[in-house]
Amino acid sequence: MIDGIRIRAATLADLPAITAIYGHAVLNGTASYEYDAPSLDEMSRRYDAIIAGSFPYLVAYSADKVLGYAYASHFRTRPAYRFMVEDSIYIAPDAQGLGIGTLLLAELLARCE
């Protein structure tokens, strides 16, 4: 834990913050491969699909503010890839550079094992 930052499973209540974090990444970054920031409804559908697949979906938070999130999902759907996952990690702009991504990745890997 870094200065009161904690990691827990994401909930539906976190989706507005997650949507805002991802939206900023889409509009200001190059890693998402999307041109338009998805709506809360779309992010809710994506969240539901990841949870339905029994994959971990985590948030980093401090003082009840979501600072970043991470999840694992299918890498590819072909049978040979069935034991592989792809990770995604996004950090709020004002929380970048604090080591939150490292915390999220470590916990995500532990929950994927």
Side-chain angles (χ1 to χ4, degrees):
M1 184 173 61
I2 300 172
D3 295 333
I5 297 170
R6 299 181 185 275
I7 308 292
R8 63 168 169 74
T11 68
L12 291 173
D14 298 319
L15 287 177
I18 287 169
T19 300
I21 291 168
Y22 185 66
H24 183 272
V26 169
L27 298 175
N28 297 286
T30 58
S32 74
Y33 295 94
E34 294 196 62
Y35 296 124
D36 300 312
S39 67
L40 178 58
D41 285 343
E42 175 59 23
M43 292 297 285
S44 296
R45 282 189 285 280
R46 295 176 188 189
Y47 170 85
D48 289 343
I50 291 164
I51 297 302
S54 298
F55 293 106
Y57 202 127
L58 309 172
V59 293
Y61 69 99
S62 178
D64 295 326
K65 179 182 179 188
V66 174
L67 304 172
Y69 72 98
Y71 62 86
S73 60
H74 290 287
F75 174 66
R76 299 280 188 270
T77 56
R78 293 182 202 113
Y81 294 109
R82 69 188 175 279
F83 299 115
M84 298 177 77
V85 298
E86 178 178 26
D87 66 89
S88 294
I89 301 172
Y90 292 91
I91 309 300
D94 60 342
Q96 293 176 1
L98 302 176
I100 296 169
T102 301
L103 290 175
L104 282 166
L105 180 58
E107 184 64 22
L108 191 63
L109 290 172
R111 293 189 186 202
C112 285
E113 289 181 342

